[in-house]
Amino acid sequence: MSAQPARPAQPVEHKRRGVTAKLVVAVLLTAVALIFIFQNTGSQEVHFLGWYFSMATWLWILVIFLLGAVVGSIFPWLRSRRR
């Protein structure tokens, strides 16, 4: 008897995924973010406690967003509670 490789009992089916709602939303949000960035490339200066900072407008907005996310995660009791 010659040794033959074992075959799977059933053929493996590869599920083909179509365009999902998550993919569409991700693409739209990415497009909106890129449009926002390209429209806000001008430099802005911020004066804070005697310091002067100058960055692109979209970077300032990103910094403020990230600071808000950090503060929101550090102080969870500031969020409203569900009852």
Side-chain angles (χ1 to χ4, degrees), residues 6-16:
R7 291 187 185 181
Q10 296 177 350
V12 178
E13 292 184 26
H14 295 285
K15 292 184 180 180
R16 188 169 184 203

Side-chain angles (χ1 to χ4, degrees), residues 1-7:
M1 292 174 92
S2 63
Q4 294 182 351
R7 291 187 185 181

